[in-house]
């Protein structure tokens, strides 16, 4: 898919017209002349789907169903961030067993999404295969292990939500129905096995050679008290800056409409690109990991500030161990709640909510009218926050590319982008409705 | 396995050549193939993945395809052209999911002034390639079979692939969600809880998930052929639902399917 064109020896372009082993449709383009980077773009050409427009005039629970459809890989993240925004607007607090259930559901999504990325999308880059299926010819055990881990995550979402993709049970305030104790207990065996298998896989993945590349990142992650941030959190922490309330995130972060993209790019107000996702969460919150995950981190020699994006595969493995270990704890301590959801009433209000999607911070804001219907919506997904950072990384890599064979250099660019676990389907749906008001 | 039998897609010994393509969508339906964790590796003994961007970096050889799965609706000119190229090389083309089969959630924009919408949405509308409507695949090319659902059910996907390998018709029931619901012994949420439920007019396939979780079906498998949609809408209003809420109930993931569209415009 790549080719060299342009002028003489000192001018090179690297591009791939349809990136593979990523979610959604994107391409990239890097143009280097006389050692200087003229252009580095991640282009998002996935068709726009206009979600913020569709949720206008809908009831909050309908919005939870609708925004799930933004992403087939991380629907729970969308359902939960939206629910939290409405709960903030209406002053709803989740009773303890329901809060734990939401975290359990979200652990399921981390497990399936991380396992998909680690074993099926990313690992083939390190081992030199075009796909997990081809990798299975020589590494069958590893691929089967990955599939079993992924299945344990999906089984968790199915038990709590009805199905793994676009679950039907989550709603504002909790769930339509809470699972029985027996339903959850039946999952424990597979979760325990998946935990051991993920630990084993992490030890292997940590030995894989990664290209050497360590940019200077500004890390951004949600903060949820003493818990590793997953499904909740009221503050956002930013390297070298003051923490920000979730309700004020749009005062600190700014989105730009760049001509080559159907998505908006987010940066800090001073123009700084930032990184969200597994590496940012680990950097800010490593001490909050489950003891099983913390122990594994020490064992494989992973530091909390792993600055090499190619090594995010190891961080994803450690987070998967955390999610599995925590899921087992929640299952063991589960008592059925009196009601599956907190009671609430819609009113005219504005609410913001955030959660940590597998690939990073996912922020929602809704304005609800006196009729209880949504009047305005804004959604900032992780990939549009990471997009400017990805382009900076491509620029940073460019000097080294010139010394490489052209095909290998192009492949390295694609691997860098893949390491971010971009969700391009997510990133395209964001209409800047402020333009209408302006 | 009927490899080599008369109606089978594969010749003796040859693998079925599979293509998976995406139009405007969330990736959730093609993901169901990767979610066949127990069957995926066994499946690849009979199926060769020729094109599947989300799963493999192996370049598409551009050759003929025995089985083509298309996810997503047609919402740009580029997608329409891409779809026609895909159809031309496909022997058996199957739409997977509500977007490909019925236009999907993004069809909610249909009927709105797209020029106006673009100006509202994008600072530089000239860069955005979009058609006036988001439409199902069958509006543009012939479709051999459709899997419904938002997302599709992976059991139905495996049945379809298995049937094709064996050269037989997929055994997918043509009935309403109500039938699945009754068979699984659920208490009717409409009768017992007064929940508005689209189960009576919605195609089966999900296993009556929403009623199992104590809520009304929201119709993501689309209208069942011959369903009395207006009668259900009238029933909702008789139970006290206002007309605007009734319209919204039918205007969701399969809202562009004619039977639901009619009810949402009434």
């Amino acid at each position: 898919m790549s080719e060299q064109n342009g002028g003489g020896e000192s001018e090179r372009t690297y591009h791939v017209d349809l990136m593979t082993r990523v979610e959604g449709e994107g391409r990239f383009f890097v143009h280097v002349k006389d050692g200087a980077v003229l252009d580095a773009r991640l282009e998002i050409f996935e068709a726009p789907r206009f979600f913020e427009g569709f949720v206008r005039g809908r009831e909050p629970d309908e919005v939870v169903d609708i925004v799930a459809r933004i992403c087939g890989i991380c629907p729970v993240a969308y359902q939960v961030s939206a629910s939290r925004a409405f709960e903030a607007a209406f002053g709803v607090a989740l009773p303890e067993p329901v809060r734990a259930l939401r975290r359990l559901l979200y652990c399921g999504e981390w497990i399936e999404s991380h396992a998909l990325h680690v074993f099926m999308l990313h690992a083939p880059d390190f081992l030199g295969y075009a796909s997990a299926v081809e990798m299975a010819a020589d590494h069958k055990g590893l691929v089967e292990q990955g599939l079993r881990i992924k299945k344990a995550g999906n089984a968790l979402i199915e038990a709590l939500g009805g199905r793994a993709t676009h679950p039907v049970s989550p709603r504002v305030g909790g769930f339509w129905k809470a699972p029985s104790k027996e339903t959850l207990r039946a999952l424990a065996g597979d979760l325990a096995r998946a935990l051991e298998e993920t630990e084993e896989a992490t030890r292997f993945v940590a030995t894989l050679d990664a290209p050497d590349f360590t940019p200077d990142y500004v890390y951004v992650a949600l903060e949820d008290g003493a818990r590793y941030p997953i499904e909740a959190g009221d503050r956002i922490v930013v390297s070298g800056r003051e923490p920000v309330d979730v309700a004020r995130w749009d005062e600190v972060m700014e989105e730009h409409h760049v001509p080559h993209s159907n998505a908006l790019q987010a940066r800090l107000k001073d123009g700084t690109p930032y990184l969200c996702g597994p590496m940012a969460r680990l950097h800010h919150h490593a001490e909050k990991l489950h003891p099983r995950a913390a122990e594994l981190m020490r064992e494989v020699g992973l530091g909390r500030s792993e600055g090499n994006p190619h090594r995010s595969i190891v961080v994803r493995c450690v987070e998967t161990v955390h999610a599995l270990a925590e899921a087992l704890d929640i299952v063991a301590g589960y008592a059925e709640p009196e009601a599956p959801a907190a009671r609430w009433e819609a009113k005219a209000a504005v609410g913001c909510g955030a959660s940590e999607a597998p690939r990073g911070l996912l922020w929602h804001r809704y304005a609800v009218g006196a009729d209880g219907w949504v009047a305005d919506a804004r959604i900032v997904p992780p990939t549009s926050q990471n997009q400017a950072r990805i382009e900076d990384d491509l620029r940073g890599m460019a000097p080294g590319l010139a010394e490489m064979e052209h095909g290998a250099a192009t492949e390295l660019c694609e691997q860098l982008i893949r390491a971010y676990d971009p969700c391009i389907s997510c990133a395209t749906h964001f209409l800047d409705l402020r333009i209408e008001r302006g | 396995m009927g490899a080599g039998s008369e109606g089978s897609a594969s010749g003796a010994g040859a693998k079925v050549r599979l293509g998976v393509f995406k139009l405007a969508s969330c990736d959730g339906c093609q993901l169901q193939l990767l979610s066949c964790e127990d069957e995926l590796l066994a499946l690849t003994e009979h199926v060769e993945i020729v094109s599947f961007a989300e799963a493999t970096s192996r370049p598409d050889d551009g050759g003929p395809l025995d089985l083509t799965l298309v996810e997503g609706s047609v919402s740009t000119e580029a997608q329409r052209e891409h779809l026609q190229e895909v159809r031309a090389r496909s022997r058996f083309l199957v739409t997977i999911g509500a977007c490909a089969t019925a236009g999907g959630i993004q069809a909610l924009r249909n009927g709105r002034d797209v020029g106006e919408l673009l100006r509202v949405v994008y600072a530089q509308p000239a860069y955005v390639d979009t058609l006036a409507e988001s439409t199902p695949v069958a509006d543009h090319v012939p479709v051999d079979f459709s899997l419904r659902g938002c997302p599709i059910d992976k059991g139905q996907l495996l049945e379809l692939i298995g049937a094709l390998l064996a050269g037989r018709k997929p055994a997918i029931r043509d009935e309403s969600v109500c039938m699945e619901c009754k068979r699984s012994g659920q208490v009717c949420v409409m009768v017992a809880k007064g929940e508005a439920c689209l189960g009576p007019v919605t195609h089966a396939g999900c296993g009556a998930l929403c009623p199992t979780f104590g809520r009304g079906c929201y119709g993501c498998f689309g209208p069942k052929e011959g369903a009395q949609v207006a009668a259900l809408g009238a029933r909702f209003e008789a139970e006290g639902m206002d007309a605007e809420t009734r319209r919204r109930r039918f205007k969701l993931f399969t809202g562009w399917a004619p039977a639901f569209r009619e009810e949402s415009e009434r």
Side-chain angles (χ1 to χ4, degrees), chain B residues 190 196 230-247 250 263 266:
Chain B
M190 195 143 71
L232 184 66
R235 167 76 191 268
F236 288 171
E237 289 201 27
E239 300 275 324
M241 183 184 279
D242 63 86
E244 183 49 38
T245 303
R246 171 183 56 77
R247 289 186 198 105
F250 290 94
E263 185 58 20
R266 190 172 61 83

Side-chain angles (χ1 to χ4, degrees), chain B residues 20 22 25 27-34 52 54 71 96:
Chain B
V20 182
K22 166 192 163 65
S25 64
D27 289 34
C29 288
Q30 52 178 316
L31 181 67
Q32 301 312 307
L33 190 54
L34 301 179
F52 188 177
E54 184 162 323
E71 173 191 277
I96 54 168

Side-chain angles (χ1 to χ4, degrees), chain A residues 20-21 24 46 49 58-59 62 65 69 72 121 130 134 150-151 154 163 165 168 257 373 425 431, chain B residues 22 25-27 31-32 34 37-38 53-55 57-58 106 121-123 150 213 215 218 248 251:
Chain A
T20 55
R21 283 186 281 129
E46 170 111 16
R49 289 167 69 218
R58 296 276 178 174
E59 295 164 9
E62 288 180 294
D65 292 329
R69 271 68 186 183
L121 309 185
E134 287 174 40
K150 183 170 164 306
K151 190 182 173 191
N154 278 337
R163 60 186 170 199
T165 304
V168 301
H257 184 198
W373 296 352
S425 315
L431 317 186
Chain B
K22 166 192 163 65
S25 64
C26 76
D27 289 34
L31 181 67
Q32 301 312 307
L34 301 179
E37 289 98 356
D38 292 336
E54 184 162 323
S57 301
R58 187 151 62 100
Q106 54 274 10
V121 168
Y122 287 101
C150 182
F213 278 78
R215 63 180 295 191
Y218 53 65
R248 282 208 319 270
K251 203 172 179 179

Side-chain angles (χ1 to χ4, degrees), chain A residues 14-129:
Chain A
Y14 309 93
H15 65 95
V16 165
D17 291 333
L18 174 61
M19 281 189 290
T20 55
R21 283 186 281 129
V22 295
E23 292 99 23
E25 296 186 305
R27 59 182 159 233
F28 70 84
F29 177 86
V30 181
H31 186 188
V32 186
K33 190 177 181 183
D34 298 328
V37 183
L38 298 183
D39 203 1
R41 300 199 302 261
L42 168 60
E43 301 189 345
I44 288 182
F45 63 90
E46 170 111 16
R49 289 167 69 218
F50 308 102
F51 270 89
E52 284 89 339
F54 302 156
V55 299
R56 285 181 167 194
R58 296 276 178 174
E59 295 164 9
D61 275 335
E62 288 180 294
V63 174
V64 172
D65 292 329
I66 290 172
V67 297
R69 271 68 186 183
I70 292 173
C71 180
I73 321 283
C74 52
V76 169
Y78 282 86
Q79 293 180 320
V80 169
S81 282
S83 297
R84 285 190 58 79
F86 289 118
E87 288 154 12
F90 307 146
V92 183
L94 266 56
E96 182 47 32
V98 178
R99 184 207 62 79
L101 271 185
R102 179 179 280 176
R103 188 165 174 90
L104 182 63
L105 174 77
Y106 217 124
C107 283
E109 182 156 288
W110 272 29
I111 297 162
E112 65 83 13
S113 176
H114 277 357
L116 173 73
H117 193 262
V118 166
F119 295 95
M120 312 208 63
L121 309 185
H122 204 184
D125 280 346
F126 296 90
L127 295 166
Y129 298 90

Side-chain angles (χ1 to χ4, degrees), chain B residues 119-148:
Chain B
R119 282 189 295 279
V120 165
V121 168
Y122 287 101
Q124 305 198 48
Y127 284 103
V128 180
D129 161 33
T130 188
L131 294 170
E133 291 186 334
S134 161
T135 45
V137 167
D139 282 9
H140 305 274
V141 298
V143 169
D144 299 302
F145 199 83
S146 290
L147 288 179
R148 296 151 167 267

Side-chain angles (χ1 to χ4, degrees), chain A residues 234-255:
Chain A
D234 294 324
R235 294 208 306 181
I236 294 166
V237 281
V238 184
S239 306
R241 290 162 169 84
E242 288 295 305
V244 186
D245 282 352
V246 164
R248 291 186 50 242
W249 182 233
D250 56 342
E251 295 170 24
V252 175
M253 168 273 310
E254 200 163 56
E255 290 175 293

